[in-house]
Amino acid sequence: MINIPKGTKDALPSESYKWQYLEGKLRRVASLYNVREIRTPVFEHTELFVRSIGDGTDVVSKEMYSFEDKGGRSITLKPEGTAPVARSFIENSLDALSLPLKMYYITPCFRYERPQAGRLREFHQFGIEFYGATSPYLDLDCISLAYDALKELGLKNVVLRLNSIGCPECRKTYTEALKAYFANHLDVMCGTCKERYERNPLRLLDCKSPICKNIGAGAPKITDYLCDDCKNHHDVLCGLLKDNDIPYVIDENIVRGLDYYTRTVFEFVTNELGAQGTVCGGGRYDNLVSSIGGKQTGCVGFAMGLERLLMLMEEQGVDFCPTNPKVFVMSQSSTYAGTCMKIVSELRRNGISADTEMTGKSLKAQFKYADKINAEYGVVIGGSEIETNTVKVKHLSSSSETECALDELTDFLKNN
Ligand code: HAM
């Protein structure tokens, strides 16, 4: 037998309604915010991710699924959705449309990580990307969408953690201060942090090891290093969040794992999913479009991990409202199979989900099957039903029965 690759999952027929429920809710919230869908390919030129996410990040240096195609090009399965959208924005001159342009996507992503609960090698993101304004109102709109989406999904106890990592200018001074601070502690810090010190010092604040975390607690705070413009942006956003009743906590250790961010960064975090509690991460990235060949464009966005959202919804007992067949039409014997087929065709054409027997099962086994597929009603068709033009429509969970004319079955099921 050939097994599924490590770190990937099937969405089985018995579970897929949960995905549909989740995705349906997210699409609905997006449309409430005037956000349109964008679809980009599953793979891109590797260079796109190297230049946008940054070669000092874990994603680019360790986790990308990259390969050479038959034409000798280096191709990468998308590890995230932001860079492909930026590429598409430039390539399709989307800046010629009226801005801001508000886009969303639901996409598979691929990262070669060590799999564990809530961390996969193929996972799915619902992402939002707003283009064309540097105003904190765009940050507010974006964060507000995430907040409303989590509420709409029925999730509780998810906290918005907010920070600003400034612009390249103020971050430079801050990074120097950070390095000076950590230099005195490096000998006792973990191997990853020793690497981060050289490659990506901001990420030193993100280490989960208790020793490094403890040391990080005494590190200089970015908010003390923000330039006037970045500080003002951050303060205005905090005020707007308050005015709009979106609760948040400032967390100076939120630095994000991707290099393109400027100013606002945020995560929505739960403590109900163990180590993988970040269900949403995002921020502003005003320099990304210009860094890959477009014009300077103010942008802000986020992505939610769908697997993590599903896990949390399950954990919190959210009702996914499964859609089950309205009726299962059973055949007294195989003689009536053709009639049953005709009946279900008629029902389906009238918008009623219906199914019927096709495998030669006994009547008892058909009732069992109808229960298994959670059909709401069961109807048995035999000689007397056809002769008298009357059927008993059985409500399967309560076992109550109603008689109805066979040629009025569609109306009965429409109204019940
Ligand atoms: P990210 O923080 O790398 O940001 O990923 C966003 C979310 O995807 C995470 O918060 C998590 O829920 C989920 N996620 C990430 N890696 C995995 C994994 N291996 N398994 C399961 N879920 C995972 C981004 O990707 C940015 N592009 C977000 C963004 C959009 N920023 C601006 N616009």
Side-chain angles (χ1 to χ4, degrees):
M1 196 187 73
I2 301 168
N3 294 323
I4 194 168
K6 198 171 165 189
T8 66
K9 274 192 179 159
D10 297 315
L12 297 174
S14 55
E15 298 275 301
S16 53
Y17 69 94
K18 297 182 183 174
W19 285 88
Q20 290 166 354
Y21 176 84
L22 170 61
E23 291 173 10
K25 289 265 180 199
L26 295 172
R27 287 182 196 278
R28 162 107 187 104
V29 175
S31 79
L32 288 176
Y33 277 75
N34 179 34
V35 184
R36 304 256 172 112
E37 184 174 12
I38 179 164
R39 298 187 188 198
T40 63
V42 162
F43 57 84
E44 297 274 352
H45 292 293
T46 300
E47 193 193 351
L48 172 67
F49 299 114
V50 175
R51 279 179 51 192
S52 52
I53 298 173
D55 51 10
T57 60
D58 286 353
V59 172
V60 168
S61 65
K62 302 182 190 155
E63 297 168 0
M64 292 209 300
Y65 277 88
S66 301
F67 58 96
E68 201 168 279
D69 72 5
K70 289 190 176 21
R73 305 167 194 93
S74 180
I75 294 293
T76 294
L77 303 185
K78 59 168 110 157
E80 56 106 52
T82 307
V85 171
R87 192 261 316 132
S88 178
F89 181 82
I90 300 167
E91 195 166 356
N92 295 296
S93 307
L94 298 186
D95 59 341
L97 306 174
S98 28
L99 298 176
L101 179 60
K102 299 162 89 179
M103 297 167 276
Y104 84 89
Y105 48 83
I106 293 180
T107 185
C109 296
F110 306 86
R111 295 185 192 175
Y112 192 80
E113 295 196 74
R114 204 164 40 77
Q116 60 183 75
R119 191 164 70 192
L120 293 129
R121 290 183 176 171
E122 185 199 30
F123 60 99
H124 297 79
Q125 284 187 344
F126 166 68
I128 285 291
E129 314 292 356
F130 289 176
Y131 277 56
T134 51
S135 141
Y137 281 97
L138 205 68
D139 307 44
L140 170 70
D141 205 37
C142 174
I143 294 174
S144 168
L145 195 163
Y147 181 72
D148 284 355
L150 295 170
K151 261 200 168 159
E152 180 64 21
L153 297 174
L155 293 172
K156 297 180 290 274
N157 310 326
V158 183
V159 176
L160 167 60
R161 309 188 80 88
L162 181 74
N163 192 19
S164 171
I165 54 166
C167 59
E169 281 77 57
C170 49
R171 201 177 319 144
K172 211 161 132 199
T173 328
Y174 176 61
T175 307
E176 278 161 17
L178 258 193
K179 284 187 87 170
Y181 170 80
F182 279 108
N184 303 324
H185 302 280
L186 216 52
D187 47 337
V188 294
M189 293 180 74
C190 74
T192 317
C193 279
K194 285 184 181 127
E195 247 179 70
R196 283 173 171 163
Y197 182 83
E198 295 305 336
R199 277 196 300 135
N200 202 345
L202 269 193
R203 296 283 287 165
L204 288 163
L205 296 171
D206 202 26
C207 188
K208 304 284 179 288
S209 117
I211 296 179
C212 305
K213 230 177 157 171
N214 213 6
I215 296 169
K221 303 276 179 238
I222 179 82
T223 32
D224 295 331
Y225 289 79
L226 295 179
C227 64
D228 288 349
D229 285 350
C230 288
K231 187 174 174 348
N232 184 48
H233 187 98
H234 186 54
D235 291 346
V236 172
L237 175 60
C238 290
L240 289 172
L241 289 167
K242 270 191 203 122
D243 288 349
N244 286 276
D245 297 324
I246 299 177
Y248 66 91
V249 295
I250 296 290
D251 181 346
E252 277 125 343
N253 290 335
I254 301 281
V255 289
R256 311 282 301 127
L258 314 161
D259 278 357
Y260 45 66
Y261 291 109
T262 45
R263 297 189 169 167
T264 309
V265 284
F266 63 90
E267 292 183 350
F268 283 85
V269 184
T270 169
N271 55 18
E272 293 174 33
L273 289 181
Q276 307 305 319
T278 307
V279 292
C280 172
R284 182 165 269 289
Y285 50 96
D286 295 341
N287 299 327
L288 173 58
V289 174
S290 57
S291 76
I292 57 168
K295 294 183 199 140
Q296 186 73 21
T297 311
C299 305
V300 57
F302 68 76
M304 296 181 173
L306 299 193
E307 285 79 1
R308 292 188 192 174
L309 290 177
L310 280 177
M311 280 168 68
L312 191 59
M313 289 163 81
E314 277 168 358
E315 181 70 28
Q316 297 190 356
V318 168
D319 178 7
F320 291 94
C321 307
T323 46
N324 299 316
K326 183 86 180 173
V327 61
F328 188 68
V329 178
M330 290 170 261
S331 178
Q332 189 73 255
S333 79
S334 57
T335 325
Y336 306 104
T339 312
C340 290
M341 277 300 217
K342 276 195 186 156
I343 293 172
V344 292
S345 295
E346 173 74 13
L347 291 168
R348 290 165 180 166
R349 283 174 195 146
N350 280 284
I352 295 164
S353 59
D355 209 351
T356 186
E357 157 59 19
M358 294 173 220
T359 59
K361 281 191 191 79
S362 69
L363 195 56
K364 191 172 161 200
Q366 291 180 58
F367 267 106
K368 263 199 175 157
Y369 180 79
D371 270 341
K372 265 223 171 101
I373 61 169
N374 285 320
E376 191 179 348
Y377 290 98
V379 172
V380 179
I381 302 294
S384 70
E385 281 77 12
I386 294 170
E387 216 169 89
T388 60
N389 184 38
T390 311
V391 283
K392 284 191 181 127
V393 189
K394 184 167 182 180
H395 188 256
L396 292 170
S397 61
S398 66
S399 290
S400 67
E401 285 188 332
T402 317
E403 260 192 8
C404 131
L406 183 51
D407 53 13
E408 284 170 11
L409 183 60
T410 303
D411 284 342
F412 175 86
L413 291 170
K414 262 191 183 164
N415 299 324
N416 284 280

